[in-house]
Each structure stands twice: as structure tokens, then as C-alpha cells.
mmCIF file of all heavy atoms in Angstrom:
data_model
loop_
_atom_site.group_PDB
_atom_site.id
_atom_site.type_symbol
_atom_site.label_atom_id
_atom_site.label_comp_id
_atom_site.label_asym_id
_atom_site.label_seq_id
_atom_site.Cartn_x
_atom_site.Cartn_y
_atom_site.Cartn_z
ATOM 1 N N LEU A 1 -2.616 18.172 -3.612
ATOM 2 C CA LEU A 1 -1.704 17.046 -3.822
ATOM 3 C C LEU A 1 -1.751 16.455 -5.231
ATOM 4 O O LEU A 1 -1.165 15.395 -5.479
ATOM 5 C CB LEU A 1 -2.022 15.915 -2.811
ATOM 6 C CG LEU A 1 -1.996 16.295 -1.325
ATOM 7 C CD1 LEU A 1 -2.452 15.116 -0.485
ATOM 8 C CD2 LEU A 1 -0.608 16.756 -0.912
ATOM 9 N N LYS A 2 -2.433 17.130 -6.145
ATOM 10 C CA LYS A 2 -2.639 16.565 -7.482
ATOM 11 C C LYS A 2 -1.330 16.157 -8.148
ATOM 12 O O LYS A 2 -1.187 15.050 -8.662
ATOM 13 C CB LYS A 2 -3.387 17.581 -8.356
ATOM 14 C CG LYS A 2 -3.573 17.117 -9.794
ATOM 15 C CD LYS A 2 -4.277 18.186 -10.623
ATOM 16 C CE LYS A 2 -4.271 17.825 -12.099
ATOM 17 N NZ LYS A 2 -4.955 18.840 -12.915
ATOM 18 N N SER A 3 -0.343 17.056 -8.162
ATOM 19 C CA SER A 3 0.915 16.764 -8.866
ATOM 20 C C SER A 3 1.696 15.651 -8.171
ATOM 21 O O SER A 3 2.331 14.820 -8.826
ATOM 22 C CB SER A 3 1.767 18.031 -8.988
ATOM 23 O OG SER A 3 2.049 18.575 -7.717
ATOM 24 N N TYR A 4 1.634 15.599 -6.844
ATOM 25 C CA TYR A 4 2.341 14.551 -6.100
ATOM 26 C C TYR A 4 1.706 13.186 -6.392
ATOM 27 O O TYR A 4 2.395 12.192 -6.580
ATOM 28 C CB TYR A 4 2.297 14.812 -4.590
ATOM 29 C CG TYR A 4 2.861 16.149 -4.183
ATOM 30 C CD1 TYR A 4 2.038 17.269 -4.051
ATOM 31 C CD2 TYR A 4 4.222 16.304 -3.914
ATOM 32 C CE1 TYR A 4 2.547 18.500 -3.675
ATOM 33 C CE2 TYR A 4 4.748 17.530 -3.526
ATOM 34 C CZ TYR A 4 3.898 18.629 -3.414
ATOM 35 O OH TYR A 4 4.418 19.839 -3.040
ATOM 36 N N TRP A 5 0.368 13.170 -6.382
ATOM 37 C CA TRP A 5 -0.353 11.924 -6.685
ATOM 38 C C TRP A 5 -0.045 11.474 -8.111
ATOM 39 O O TRP A 5 0.244 10.300 -8.359
ATOM 40 C CB TRP A 5 -1.858 12.107 -6.496
ATOM 41 C CG TRP A 5 -2.618 10.890 -6.919
ATOM 42 C CD1 TRP A 5 -3.121 10.618 -8.172
ATOM 43 C CD2 TRP A 5 -2.921 9.737 -6.120
ATOM 44 N NE1 TRP A 5 -3.720 9.371 -8.197
ATOM 45 C CE2 TRP A 5 -3.613 8.813 -6.958
ATOM 46 C CE3 TRP A 5 -2.679 9.395 -4.788
ATOM 47 C CZ2 TRP A 5 -4.061 7.570 -6.482
ATOM 48 C CZ3 TRP A 5 -3.129 8.160 -4.332
ATOM 49 C CH2 TRP A 5 -3.813 7.271 -5.172
ATOM 50 N N SER A 6 -0.091 12.416 -9.056
ATOM 51 C CA SER A 6 0.128 12.079 -10.467
ATOM 52 C C SER A 6 1.549 11.590 -10.716
ATOM 53 O O SER A 6 1.794 10.828 -11.649
ATOM 54 C CB SER A 6 -0.193 13.282 -11.353
ATOM 55 O OG SER A 6 -1.576 13.618 -11.243
ATOM 56 N N ASP A 7 2.482 12.017 -9.877
ATOM 57 C CA ASP A 7 3.874 11.538 -9.976
ATOM 58 C C ASP A 7 4.094 10.260 -9.158
ATOM 59 O O ASP A 7 5.228 9.785 -9.035
ATOM 60 C CB ASP A 7 4.854 12.621 -9.490
ATOM 61 C CG ASP A 7 4.963 13.777 -10.472
ATOM 62 O OD1 ASP A 7 4.497 13.632 -11.621
ATOM 63 O OD2 ASP A 7 5.510 14.839 -10.084
ATOM 64 N N ARG A 8 3.019 9.718 -8.586
ATOM 65 C CA ARG A 8 3.063 8.493 -7.773
ATOM 66 C C ARG A 8 4.013 8.617 -6.585
ATOM 67 O O ARG A 8 4.722 7.670 -6.216
ATOM 68 C CB ARG A 8 3.456 7.282 -8.627
ATOM 69 C CG ARG A 8 2.389 6.829 -9.628
ATOM 70 C CD ARG A 8 1.184 6.243 -8.946
ATOM 71 N NE ARG A 8 0.263 5.576 -9.866
ATOM 72 C CZ ARG A 8 -1.058 5.537 -9.691
ATOM 73 N NH1 ARG A 8 -1.602 6.141 -8.641
ATOM 74 N NH2 ARG A 8 -1.834 4.913 -10.532
ATOM 75 N N LEU A 9 4.022 9.803 -5.958
ATOM 76 C CA LEU A 9 4.855 10.019 -4.777
ATOM 77 C C LEU A 9 4.087 9.720 -3.487
ATOM 78 O O LEU A 9 4.672 9.687 -2.411
ATOM 79 C CB LEU A 9 5.358 11.472 -4.750
ATOM 80 C CG LEU A 9 6.237 11.886 -5.938
ATOM 81 C CD1 LEU A 9 6.528 13.389 -5.891
ATOM 82 C CD2 LEU A 9 7.537 11.082 -5.950
ATOM 83 N N ILE A 10 2.772 9.540 -3.610
ATOM 84 C CA ILE A 10 1.922 9.293 -2.438
ATOM 85 C C ILE A 10 1.296 7.911 -2.564
ATOM 86 O O ILE A 10 0.589 7.638 -3.540
ATOM 87 C CB ILE A 10 0.804 10.355 -2.354
ATOM 88 C CG1 ILE A 10 1.406 11.753 -2.176
ATOM 89 C CG2 ILE A 10 -0.170 10.031 -1.227
ATOM 90 C CD1 ILE A 10 0.366 12.865 -2.218
ATOM 91 N N ILE A 11 1.561 7.037 -1.595
ATOM 92 C CA ILE A 11 0.840 5.752 -1.572
ATOM 93 C C ILE A 11 -0.596 6.031 -1.142
ATOM 94 O O ILE A 11 -1.542 5.540 -1.722
ATOM 95 C CB ILE A 11 1.520 4.742 -0.629
ATOM 96 C CG1 ILE A 11 2.885 4.351 -1.192
ATOM 97 C CG2 ILE A 11 0.645 3.511 -0.443
ATOM 98 C CD1 ILE A 11 3.663 3.366 -0.334
ATOM 99 N N GLY A 12 -0.742 6.837 -0.095
ATOM 100 C CA GLY A 12 -2.062 7.342 0.296
ATOM 101 C C GLY A 12 -2.962 6.341 0.969
ATOM 102 O O GLY A 12 -3.163 6.381 2.193
ATOM 103 N N PHE A 13 -3.507 5.412 0.186
ATOM 104 C CA PHE A 13 -4.486 4.458 0.707
ATOM 105 C C PHE A 13 -3.763 3.232 1.256
ATOM 106 O O PHE A 13 -3.607 2.216 0.583
ATOM 107 C CB PHE A 13 -5.469 4.053 -0.397
ATOM 108 C CG PHE A 13 -6.273 5.208 -0.933
ATOM 109 C CD1 PHE A 13 -5.969 5.763 -2.169
ATOM 110 C CD2 PHE A 13 -7.322 5.754 -0.199
ATOM 111 C CE1 PHE A 13 -6.704 6.827 -2.672
ATOM 112 C CE2 PHE A 13 -8.057 6.831 -0.696
ATOM 113 C CZ PHE A 13 -7.751 7.369 -1.932
ATOM 114 N N ILE A 14 -3.323 3.357 2.498
ATOM 115 C CA ILE A 14 -2.562 2.285 3.137
ATOM 116 C C ILE A 14 -2.738 2.431 4.647
ATOM 117 O O ILE A 14 -2.796 3.543 5.166
ATOM 118 C CB ILE A 14 -1.066 2.352 2.721
ATOM 119 C CG1 ILE A 14 -0.278 1.188 3.302
ATOM 120 C CG2 ILE A 14 -0.431 3.687 3.110
ATOM 121 C CD1 ILE A 14 1.146 1.083 2.744
ATOM 122 N N SER A 15 -2.843 1.302 5.345
ATOM 123 C CA SER A 15 -3.100 1.370 6.792
ATOM 124 C C SER A 15 -1.820 1.632 7.565
ATOM 125 O O SER A 15 -0.708 1.326 7.106
ATOM 126 C CB SER A 15 -3.717 0.050 7.276
ATOM 127 O OG SER A 15 -2.756 -0.988 7.204
ATOM 128 N N LYS A 16 -2.005 2.177 8.755
ATOM 129 C CA LYS A 16 -0.878 2.465 9.650
ATOM 130 C C LYS A 16 -0.114 1.175 9.977
ATOM 131 O O LYS A 16 1.115 1.150 10.008
ATOM 132 C CB LYS A 16 -1.437 3.092 10.931
ATOM 133 C CG LYS A 16 -0.463 3.914 11.733
ATOM 134 C CD LYS A 16 -1.215 4.635 12.850
ATOM 135 C CE LYS A 16 -0.307 5.584 13.589
ATOM 136 N NZ LYS A 16 -1.058 6.359 14.604
ATOM 137 N N GLN A 17 -0.876 0.087 10.173
ATOM 138 C CA GLN A 17 -0.267 -1.196 10.530
ATOM 139 C C GLN A 17 0.606 -1.714 9.384
ATOM 140 O O GLN A 17 1.716 -2.203 9.603
ATOM 141 C CB GLN A 17 -1.347 -2.239 10.855
ATOM 142 C CG GLN A 17 -2.162 -1.958 12.094
ATOM 143 C CD GLN A 17 -3.222 -0.871 11.899
ATOM 144 O OE1 GLN A 17 -3.491 -0.425 10.772
ATOM 145 N NE2 GLN A 17 -3.812 -0.426 12.998
ATOM 146 N N TYR A 18 0.098 -1.593 8.154
ATOM 147 C CA TYR A 18 0.852 -2.106 7.007
ATOM 148 C C TYR A 18 2.087 -1.246 6.744
ATOM 149 O O TYR A 18 3.128 -1.753 6.320
ATOM 150 C CB TYR A 18 -0.032 -2.182 5.763
ATOM 151 C CG TYR A 18 0.593 -2.975 4.633
ATOM 152 C CD1 TYR A 18 1.004 -4.296 4.844
ATOM 153 C CD2 TYR A 18 0.796 -2.408 3.385
ATOM 154 C CE1 TYR A 18 1.600 -5.030 3.829
ATOM 155 C CE2 TYR A 18 1.401 -3.139 2.359
ATOM 156 C CZ TYR A 18 1.788 -4.451 2.593
ATOM 157 O OH TYR A 18 2.392 -5.178 1.588
ATOM 158 N N VAL A 19 1.975 0.051 7.019
ATOM 159 C CA VAL A 19 3.131 0.942 6.888
ATOM 160 C C VAL A 19 4.249 0.473 7.817
ATOM 161 O O VAL A 19 5.417 0.407 7.426
ATOM 162 C CB VAL A 19 2.750 2.411 7.209
ATOM 163 C CG1 VAL A 19 3.987 3.262 7.417
ATOM 164 C CG2 VAL A 19 1.907 2.994 6.083
ATOM 165 N N CYS A 20 3.883 0.136 9.054
ATOM 166 C CA CYS A 20 4.881 -0.340 10.023
ATOM 167 C C CYS A 20 5.569 -1.600 9.511
ATOM 168 O O CYS A 20 6.789 -1.760 9.638
ATOM 169 C CB CYS A 20 4.220 -0.629 11.368
ATOM 170 S SG CYS A 20 3.771 0.876 12.248
ATOM 171 N N LYS A 21 4.783 -2.475 8.889
ATOM 172 C CA LYS A 21 5.335 -3.716 8.348
ATOM 173 C C LYS A 21 6.302 -3.406 7.198
ATOM 174 O O LYS A 21 7.397 -3.963 7.110
ATOM 175 C CB LYS A 21 4.183 -4.597 7.846
ATOM 176 C CG LYS A 21 4.577 -5.988 7.429
ATOM 177 C CD LYS A 21 3.341 -6.779 7.025
ATOM 178 C CE LYS A 21 3.740 -8.069 6.317
ATOM 179 N NZ LYS A 21 2.563 -8.770 5.792
ATOM 180 N N LEU A 22 5.915 -2.483 6.317
ATOM 181 C CA LEU A 22 6.751 -2.119 5.163
ATOM 182 C C LEU A 22 8.065 -1.480 5.596
ATOM 183 O O LEU A 22 9.125 -1.767 5.051
ATOM 184 C CB LEU A 22 6.012 -1.131 4.246
ATOM 185 C CG LEU A 22 5.009 -1.642 3.226
ATOM 186 C CD1 LEU A 22 4.543 -0.479 2.361
ATOM 187 C CD2 LEU A 22 5.592 -2.737 2.350
ATOM 188 N N LEU A 23 7.959 -0.564 6.572
ATOM 189 C CA LEU A 23 9.125 0.236 6.943
ATOM 190 C C LEU A 23 10.013 -0.406 7.996
ATOM 191 O O LEU A 23 11.133 0.051 8.225
ATOM 192 C CB LEU A 23 8.676 1.616 7.438
ATOM 193 C CG LEU A 23 7.983 2.534 6.417
ATOM 194 C CD1 LEU A 23 7.650 3.882 7.052
ATOM 195 C CD2 LEU A 23 8.837 2.743 5.166
ATOM 196 N N SER A 24 9.523 -1.459 8.644
ATOM 197 C CA SER A 24 10.234 -2.018 9.810
ATOM 198 C C SER A 24 11.653 -2.492 9.493
ATOM 199 O O SER A 24 12.516 -2.497 10.369
ATOM 200 C CB SER A 24 9.427 -3.168 10.417
ATOM 201 O OG SER A 24 9.275 -4.201 9.456
ATOM 202 N N THR A 25 11.908 -2.891 8.254
ATOM 203 C CA THR A 25 13.257 -3.389 7.912
ATOM 204 C C THR A 25 14.047 -2.373 7.084
ATOM 205 O O THR A 25 15.123 -2.696 6.579
ATOM 206 C CB THR A 25 13.139 -4.703 7.106
ATOM 207 O OG1 THR A 25 12.306 -4.471 5.947
ATOM 208 C CG2 THR A 25 12.513 -5.797 7.945
ATOM 209 N N GLU A 26 13.515 -1.162 6.952
ATOM 210 C CA GLU A 26 14.182 -0.139 6.130
ATOM 211 C C GLU A 26 15.153 0.698 6.969
ATOM 212 O O GLU A 26 14.986 0.828 8.180
ATOM 213 C CB GLU A 26 13.132 0.775 5.486
ATOM 214 C CG GLU A 26 12.193 0.063 4.513
ATOM 215 C CD GLU A 26 12.913 -0.546 3.324
ATOM 216 O OE1 GLU A 26 13.895 0.045 2.832
ATOM 217 O OE2 GLU A 26 12.493 -1.639 2.883
ATOM 218 N N PRO A 27 16.144 1.316 6.324
ATOM 219 C CA PRO A 27 17.108 2.149 7.073
ATOM 220 C C PRO A 27 16.482 3.448 7.583
ATOM 221 O O PRO A 27 15.417 3.869 7.094
ATOM 222 C CB PRO A 27 18.197 2.442 6.029
ATOM 223 C CG PRO A 27 17.578 2.196 4.704
ATOM 224 C CD PRO A 27 16.517 1.169 4.906
ATOM 225 N N ASP A 28 17.161 4.066 8.542
ATOM 226 C CA ASP A 28 16.700 5.342 9.106
ATOM 227 C C ASP A 28 16.431 6.364 8.001
ATOM 228 O O ASP A 28 17.187 6.456 7.032
ATOM 229 C CB ASP A 28 17.787 5.938 10.014
ATOM 230 C CG ASP A 28 17.749 5.310 11.384
ATOM 231 O OD1 ASP A 28 16.992 4.351 11.551
ATOM 232 O OD2 ASP A 28 18.478 5.770 12.271
ATOM 233 N N GLY A 29 15.373 7.136 8.194
ATOM 234 C CA GLY A 29 15.084 8.212 7.252
ATOM 235 C C GLY A 29 14.234 7.800 6.073
ATOM 236 O O GLY A 29 13.845 8.641 5.253
ATOM 237 N N THR A 30 13.916 6.492 5.951
ATOM 238 C CA THR A 30 13.012 6.048 4.880
ATOM 239 C C THR A 30 11.593 6.481 5.255
ATOM 240 O O THR A 30 11.174 6.310 6.404
ATOM 241 C CB THR A 30 13.070 4.512 4.714
ATOM 242 O OG1 THR A 30 14.426 4.119 4.503
ATOM 243 C CG2 THR A 30 12.217 4.061 3.540
ATOM 244 N N PHE A 31 10.860 7.027 4.303
ATOM 245 C CA PHE A 31 9.518 7.537 4.628
ATOM 246 C C PHE A 31 8.547 7.284 3.480
ATOM 247 O O PHE A 31 8.939 7.007 2.342
ATOM 248 C CB PHE A 31 9.579 9.036 4.940
ATOM 249 C CG PHE A 31 9.901 9.918 3.752
ATOM 250 C CD1 PHE A 31 8.887 10.563 3.041
ATOM 251 C CD2 PHE A 31 11.216 10.117 3.342
ATOM 252 C CE1 PHE A 31 9.184 11.373 1.953
ATOM 253 C CE2 PHE A 31 11.527 10.924 2.260
ATOM 254 C CZ PHE A 31 10.503 11.562 1.560
ATOM 255 N N LEU A 32 7.260 7.380 3.798
ATOM 256 C CA LEU A 32 6.218 7.332 2.774
ATOM 257 C C LEU A 32 5.047 8.186 3.231
ATOM 258 O O LEU A 32 4.963 8.590 4.398
ATOM 259 C CB LEU A 32 5.802 5.894 2.460
ATOM 260 C CG LEU A 32 5.288 4.974 3.576
ATOM 261 C CD1 LEU A 32 3.857 5.315 3.966
ATOM 262 C CD2 LEU A 32 5.325 3.515 3.105
ATOM 263 N N LEU A 33 4.149 8.472 2.308
ATOM 264 C CA LEU A 33 3.005 9.338 2.601
ATOM 265 C C LEU A 33 1.707 8.557 2.518
ATOM 266 O O LEU A 33 1.507 7.787 1.567
ATOM 267 C CB LEU A 33 2.968 10.516 1.614
ATOM 268 C CG LEU A 33 4.107 11.504 1.794
ATOM 269 C CD1 LEU A 33 5.207 11.217 0.779
ATOM 270 C CD2 LEU A 33 3.624 12.925 1.614
ATOM 271 N N ARG A 34 0.857 8.753 3.521
ATOM 272 C CA ARG A 34 -0.445 8.080 3.527
ATOM 273 C C ARG A 34 -1.518 9.047 3.991
ATOM 274 O O ARG A 34 -1.229 10.034 4.689
ATOM 275 C CB ARG A 34 -0.415 6.836 4.416
ATOM 276 C CG ARG A 34 -0.239 7.131 5.881
ATOM 277 C CD ARG A 34 -0.271 5.874 6.743
ATOM 278 N NE ARG A 34 -0.250 6.238 8.148
ATOM 279 C CZ ARG A 34 -1.347 6.559 8.848
ATOM 280 N NH1 ARG A 34 -2.539 6.512 8.295
ATOM 281 N NH2 ARG A 34 -1.242 6.906 10.119
ATOM 282 N N PHE A 35 -2.745 8.767 3.603
ATOM 283 C CA PHE A 35 -3.864 9.593 4.050
ATOM 284 C C PHE A 35 -4.207 9.226 5.485
ATOM 285 O O PHE A 35 -4.221 8.046 5.847
ATOM 286 C CB PHE A 35 -5.085 9.400 3.139
ATOM 287 C CG PHE A 35 -4.842 9.837 1.717
ATOM 288 C CD1 PHE A 35 -5.012 8.951 0.654
ATOM 289 C CD2 PHE A 35 -4.409 11.130 1.447
ATOM 290 C CE1 PHE A 35 -4.774 9.347 -0.651
ATOM 291 C CE2 PHE A 35 -4.164 11.537 0.136
ATOM 292 C CZ PHE A 35 -4.341 10.642 -0.920
ATOM 293 N N SER A 36 -4.480 10.246 6.287
ATOM 294 C CA SER A 36 -4.765 10.025 7.704
ATOM 295 C C SER A 36 -6.032 9.197 7.898
ATOM 296 O O SER A 36 -7.038 9.406 7.219
ATOM 297 C CB SER A 36 -4.935 11.382 8.404
ATOM 298 O OG SER A 36 -5.404 11.198 9.727
ATOM 299 N N ASP A 37 -5.976 8.247 8.837
ATOM 300 C CA ASP A 37 -7.154 7.443 9.202
ATOM 301 C C ASP A 37 -8.040 8.177 10.196
ATOM 302 O O ASP A 37 -9.248 8.017 10.199
ATOM 303 C CB ASP A 37 -6.694 6.138 9.876
ATOM 304 C CG ASP A 37 -6.642 4.988 8.885
ATOM 305 O OD1 ASP A 37 -7.408 4.998 7.920
ATOM 306 O OD2 ASP A 37 -5.818 4.078 9.096
ATOM 307 N N SER A 38 -7.417 8.987 11.030
ATOM 308 C CA SER A 38 -8.128 9.574 12.168
ATOM 309 C C SER A 38 -8.749 10.932 11.849
ATOM 310 O O SER A 38 -9.640 11.388 12.559
ATOM 311 C CB SER A 38 -7.190 9.713 13.363
ATOM 312 O OG SER A 38 -6.058 10.487 12.995
ATOM 313 N N GLU A 39 -8.255 11.593 10.804
ATOM 314 C CA GLU A 39 -8.768 12.914 10.445
ATOM 315 C C GLU A 39 -9.291 12.920 9.016
ATOM 316 O O GLU A 39 -8.735 12.256 8.144
ATOM 317 C CB GLU A 39 -7.652 13.968 10.576
ATOM 318 C CG GLU A 39 -7.211 14.209 12.003
ATOM 319 C CD GLU A 39 -6.182 15.332 12.099
ATOM 320 O OE1 GLU A 39 -6.114 16.168 11.184
ATOM 321 O OE2 GLU A 39 -5.443 15.341 13.102
ATOM 322 N N ILE A 40 -10.347 13.697 8.792
ATOM 323 C CA ILE A 40 -10.860 13.850 7.430
ATOM 324 C C ILE A 40 -9.972 14.856 6.693
ATOM 325 O O ILE A 40 -9.692 15.937 7.207
ATOM 326 C CB ILE A 40 -12.321 14.347 7.456
ATOM 327 C CG1 ILE A 40 -13.238 13.238 7.990
ATOM 328 C CG2 ILE A 40 -12.780 14.782 6.071
ATOM 329 C CD1 ILE A 40 -14.700 13.644 8.075
ATOM 330 N N GLY A 41 -9.510 14.468 5.510
ATOM 331 C CA GLY A 41 -8.731 15.404 4.694
ATOM 332 C C GLY A 41 -7.363 15.716 5.255
ATOM 333 O O GLY A 41 -6.967 16.873 5.343
#
């Protein structure tokens, strides 16, 4: 993911709960990338 991170395409360090808050008022198909809480890597 080096190039994606360097292009700031991955928020990564963000909780599932906060993602729901961010996306709750966005239109269909809006997405973001975060690192999994439940799995390593």
C-alpha cells in the first residue's frame, strides 16, 4: 500500500464507529479505506 498511502488515498487509522459518523450523511457509493481492527495486517 506504499503508493496509496503516499498519495493520501488511505485514511487507515480510523475507528469503525467514526467511519459511520463520517459517512452517514454522504451519498451512495462514497467510500474510504481503513486498517482492519479485527485482523492483523
Side-chain angles (χ1 to χ4, degrees):
L1 304 175
K2 176 182 171 180
S3 58
Y4 303 93
W5 175 270
S6 296
D7 288 346
R8 290 292 191 212
L9 298 173
I10 298 175
I11 293 179
F13 298 104
I14 184 171
S15 69
K16 202 172 186 176
Q17 294 77 10
Y18 192 56
V19 166
C20 287
K21 188 177 168 186
L22 278 186
L23 295 182
S24 61
T25 55
E26 297 298 324
D28 278 7
T30 305
F31 69 98
L32 57 76
L33 292 99
R34 67 178 186 85
F35 297 123
S36 171
D37 263 331
S38 57
E39 292 184 22
I40 290 179

